Amino acid sequence: MKKVFIDGSAGTTGLRIHERLSARDDISVITLSDEKRKDPLCRKEAINSADIAFLCLPDDAAREAVSFIENENTVVIDTSTAHRTEPYWAYGFPELSEEHLEKIKSSKRIAVPGCHASGFIALVYPLVEKGVLSPETLLSCFSLTGYSGGGKKMIGEYENGDRDVLLDAPRIYGLTQTHKHLKEMKAVTGINEFPVFMPVVAPFYSGMAVSIPLFASQVSADINEIRKIYEEKYTWGMVSFKENIAENGFLSAGTFSCKDTMTVGVYGNGERFTLEAVYDNLGKGASGAAIECMNIVLGNAPSSGLTE
């Protein structure tokens, strides 16, 4: 039985990971009392006694936790932004390529992708890889997410009975074009410039839809050829291509709420179309992706203990 420690288990992602792991008979979760879970010495001991340590922490705290490690056999799976573009860390999106999968299998340091970044990368990486989208192409991205992605503070704001009326409508953020996910979106896909990125949080708990608009002139393949690229790319794991998941002409960001899968698709016509990725910001966008990486490290099926 493998020993797992969740550093930051009281946060939204940590709680979701703990919930999933508590139902498994192949995992023993190391727990700390409320008095000890913020004590650096107690955390250090727990991390070094674990086979796998999940870091569900702010960036600086995640870096601190990594500095605690003395056990060369401890595998770290970090859900923060801190290490996602570090070359010696595996990027935790195994479906992207055999190289990504093998690096996750062999690495002791794995960085879980960001929620918004996951959809963008799932859509752009295969097209750049196939050469139908030039790295020089200037892109834009619209991403709609449930409020649980903002953590406990934002969840409290939305679920407070006396909440601000402004929360009843979708809210655009990241207005300065410096969102923390931009760095990995550019680095992992290999594009030359950051996309113009418009994240939007809306008054629903969980779910996500990432959209990338394109003119046909921006790619060297037609809409059906792009669909074929996705269909051939995503044949295993938690990502798949579907011809159409819209209902009566509407594509809902809540389609895969509470699930750990992601579906990609292409909608439009011969002149203009959008690339679409739909998933749960807490599933494939966070805790589900972290557990999928753990499953791969342990030699289990990627979907073990996850909801498809």
Side-chain angles (χ1 to χ4, degrees), residues 2 40 44 106 111 150 158 253 276 287-288 290 304:
K2 296 297 183 179
K44 181 177 181 178
S106 62
Y158 273 91
E276 302 286 348
S287 59
S304 294

Side-chain angles (χ1 to χ4, degrees), residues 132-139 191-193 214 218-219:
V132 303
L133 179 68
S134 169
E136 298 177 357
T137 306
L138 300 179
L139 299 173
I191 56 176
N192 294 344
E193 302 291 341
L214 287 173
Q218 291 178 281
V219 290

Side-chain angles (χ1 to χ4, degrees), residues 58-75:
D59 288 2
D60 288 342
R63 294 186 185 98
E64 178 189 50
V66 172
S67 74
F68 291 161
I69 299 173
E70 297 171 346
N71 183 350
E72 63 181 16
N73 295 315
T74 297
V75 176

Side-chain angles (χ1 to χ4, degrees), residues 28 155 163 186 258 284 295:
S28 173
I155 292 171
R163 76 184 195 190
K186 177 174 178 285
C258 299
K284 184 59 172 170
N295 286 332

Side-chain angles (χ1 to χ4, degrees), residues 20 28 37 51 67 83 85 91 138 148 170 217 285 291:
R20 306 294 184 83
S28 173
R37 64 183 179 84
D51 296 296
S67 74
H83 301 102
T85 57
Y91 191 71
L138 300 179
S148 58
S217 59
I291 293 174

Side-chain angles (χ1 to χ4, degrees), residues 9 46 50 83 103-104 150 167 173 175 208 223:
S9 60
H83 301 102
K103 193 168 183 178
I104 292 168
L167 300 181
Y173 64 106
L175 297 172
M208 180 167 273
I223 188 170

